[in-house]
Amino acid sequence: MNDWPEGFPGDNRGSRYGRGSSSARPESARVMRQVRRGPAASPGQAAYGGAPPYQGGVPQQPSYVDGGGYGPGDGYDSGYNTGQVYGSPGGRGPGGPDDGWYEPRPGPNWRRRIKVTTITVVTVLVVTSVGTYFWADSKLNRDVDLSKVIDRPEAGEGTNYLIVGSDSRAGMSAEDKKRLRTGSAEGKRTDSMMILHTGSNGPTLVSLPRDSNVTIPSYKGSDSGKLYPATGRQTKLNAAYSEDGPELLVRTVEANTGLHIDHYVEIGFGGFANIVDAVGGVEMDIPQDIKDTKSGADLKKGKQTLNGEQALAFVRTRYALRGSDLDRTKNQQKFLSALANQVATPSTVLNPFKLYPTMGAGLDSLVVDEDMGLFDLASMFWAMKGVSGGEGKSMNMPLAGNAPNGNLQWNTAKVKTLVNQLKNDEKVTVSGN
């Protein structure tokens, strides 16, 4: 049985599958056309029937030139005879003017990207800096009111800080007191006192021995507001702090030196140790073996990194030192300068995991005057760093021996020269003990 349409070889049955045929063969087999590229069939040549021009058994198909299969003028144009894609000579198909399917992706706008990135980074830094400033400012304990200090000397050039290390145990647990060997004495006393002067001739750090012989001047009680007249009473410098706190200490230092104190900074035992631990320890060159059962110091000579507990023991030690309190003040100066230098290093300042704990530990434990700002505090630390870096000078208050009551007597002439040089922000030429 031959299923080919009429006109195929071997099939003389005519239009077997024509319209109306009862055969089940679908009409699509009859109307399916194939596109033939090339010249149209000559007029009169039948699409079906007649002698087949092909020998392979494939019937000749209708041509679709000019709308193939339709007569001239029918108005149909499939577009296939021109090679056009979707009917437009300017299409972006093969053979089109761009000879590509899509327009090329434009290159990245690096100038715009850099600008956006820069703006984003600057914004983050500004927001972080502002947030950090207000956070740190809120943690400062501004508990000292210098306006209560009476009969103050005239301020000179530069800035003078009175830096006090107290034996305050505030916030320390019983375990901390035992570990740090601070004891459990009530009240507060000063373990160290220093004047730090900053100005155009470099910083100068002057230690005031706590056994210095001073005269307690007239003063107004910090809590009562009562005026206490001067009696000429002479005592140790640290007694002024014990009697009426920071305000009387400032009043006593100013009255006995004639130097105006601009800012007051105090730190207790626990806060000192916490700061040292927060920065990861402080490297010190210990001048000699130190073993002191009272402070708990047990240190070997040479360079080593001290943790908070060791550092506190080191700065408190005096009984194991030949010069006692005078040698202790020198060790305190060295250590505080080294600590300031450690805090100001890029490894601390640029590392938020170290910077924020350090700031938190320090700000929580510092007691400052009401007018003290973060910039003043930063200036103080940078000045102390300068002392350790050789840009400034550190010394003890010049002494002349012992007073009749056994306290350390200042050298009046040298102290006067020193104070005048500090007031005028001149280079300090006076030497101390």
Side-chain angles (χ1 to χ4, degrees):
M1 177 177 179
N2 191 338
D3 293 334
W4 293 94
E6 79 175 81
F8 284 16
D11 184 6
N12 297 320
R13 286 171 289 184
S15 181
R16 179 175 182 182
Y17 297 105
R19 189 176 302 276
S21 169
S22 60
S23 170
R25 180 64 59 183
E27 281 211 345
S28 59
R30 177 178 62 83
V31 300
M32 176 106 34
R33 299 189 178 99
Q34 297 181 8
V35 176
R36 179 178 62 83
R37 303 292 182 182
S42 60
Q45 181 178 357
Y48 296 94
Y54 300 98
Q55 300 301 318
V58 180
Q60 183 174 352
Q61 302 297 313
S63 171
Y64 285 138
V65 177
D66 297 327
Y70 296 88
D74 285 348
Y76 176 82
D77 185 1
S78 67
Y80 285 97
N81 60 331
T82 64
Q84 300 174 15
V85 178
Y86 298 109
S88 173
R92 297 286 199 275
D98 292 335
D99 196 24
W101 291 101
Y102 305 102
E103 292 185 1
R105 174 180 289 182
N109 188 338
W110 288 109
R111 298 182 71 178
R112 181 175 181 277
R113 290 187 178 185
I114 293 174
K115 180 179 179 181
V116 172
T117 301
T118 302
I119 292 174
T120 301
V121 171
V122 170
T123 301
V124 170
L125 289 176
V126 170
V127 171
T128 302
S129 299
V130 172
T132 299
Y133 175 86
F134 284 104
W135 167 77
D137 188 72
S138 67
K139 294 180 76 66
L140 275 178
N141 301 306
R142 297 182 173 92
D143 297 336
V144 179
D145 186 2
L146 294 183
S147 67
K148 295 179 179 179
V149 180
I150 62 174
D151 300 334
R152 309 192 66 186
E154 184 179 352
E157 300 292 329
T159 303
N160 299 311
Y161 300 84
L162 180 59
I163 303 173
V164 175
S166 76
D167 64 0
S168 171
R169 298 157 179 84
M172 295 177 63
S173 65
E175 181 180 349
D176 289 335
K177 294 176 184 178
K178 182 179 180 181
R179 177 175 59 88
L180 299 176
R181 301 200 181 192
T182 63
S184 301
E186 296 296 329
K188 294 194 303 181
R189 284 154 293 276
T190 53
D191 239 31
S192 61
M193 290 160 284
M194 305 177 190
I195 294 175
L196 174 66
H197 173 84
T198 63
S200 57
N201 280 287
T204 301
L205 186 62
V206 182
S207 287
L208 309 175
R210 72 177 196 168
D211 293 340
S212 297
N213 190 60
V214 295
T215 300
I216 299 295
S218 60
Y219 68 96
K220 184 180 290 186
S222 57
D223 293 328
S224 65
K226 179 181 177 180
L227 182 62
Y228 294 88
T231 62
R233 178 170 57 98
Q234 294 185 332
T235 185
K236 295 179 180 180
L237 179 58
N238 65 343
Y241 183 94
S242 300
E243 287 185 25
D244 199 41
E247 289 83 0
L248 180 54
L249 178 61
V250 171
R251 168 74 175 126
T252 303
V253 170
E254 289 186 341
N256 284 266
T257 63
L259 189 66
H260 181 89
I261 300 299
D262 298 290
H263 292 294
Y264 177 90
V265 181
E266 177 186 326
I267 186 169
F269 283 161
F272 180 85
N274 290 339
I275 294 175
V276 175
D277 286 333
V279 297
V282 176
E283 185 178 74
M284 284 292 297
D285 189 358
I286 308 299
Q288 65 182 71
D289 290 348
I290 299 176
K291 190 173 183 63
D292 186 353
T293 56
K294 291 185 177 295
S295 69
D298 187 5
L299 304 170
K300 299 297 182 183
K301 180 181 178 180
K303 284 188 177 182
Q304 55 198 284
T305 299
L306 305 182
N307 60 27
E309 180 180 348
Q310 294 170 324
L312 183 59
F314 174 69
V315 299
R316 293 181 62 210
T317 294
R318 64 170 177 163
Y319 293 104
L321 304 176
R322 179 179 298 177
S324 187
D325 199 42
L326 293 180
D327 282 350
R328 179 173 71 164
T329 57
K330 294 177 182 179
N331 287 340
Q332 290 170 348
Q333 289 177 347
K334 292 178 183 178
F335 186 86
L336 290 179
S337 296
L339 174 61
N341 187 69
Q342 178 70 25
V343 171
T345 57
S347 63
T348 299
V349 175
L350 301 180
N351 183 354
F353 297 102
K354 186 180 288 188
L355 175 63
Y356 284 97
T358 302
M359 291 179 64
L363 297 173
D364 278 339
S365 56
L366 288 179
V367 176
V368 300
D369 64 90
E370 292 182 345
D371 295 327
M372 186 81 162
L374 289 177
F375 290 109
D376 298 312
L377 194 61
S379 297
M380 185 192 78
F381 273 102
W382 280 107
M384 294 188 71
K385 179 183 178 182
V387 171
S388 67
E391 300 172 6
K393 182 175 183 177
S394 61
M395 57 182 288
N396 278 324
M397 185 65 83
L399 300 175
N402 292 100
N405 58 8
N407 299 331
L408 296 175
Q409 186 67 50
W410 293 351
N411 186 316
T412 305
K414 286 187 175 182
V415 169
K416 184 177 180 180
T417 302
L418 172 64
V419 170
N420 285 335
Q421 290 176 340
L422 294 178
K423 274 188 173 182
N424 298 320
D425 197 22
E426 299 173 350
K427 185 176 180 180
V428 174
T429 60
V430 179
S431 60
N433 296 77

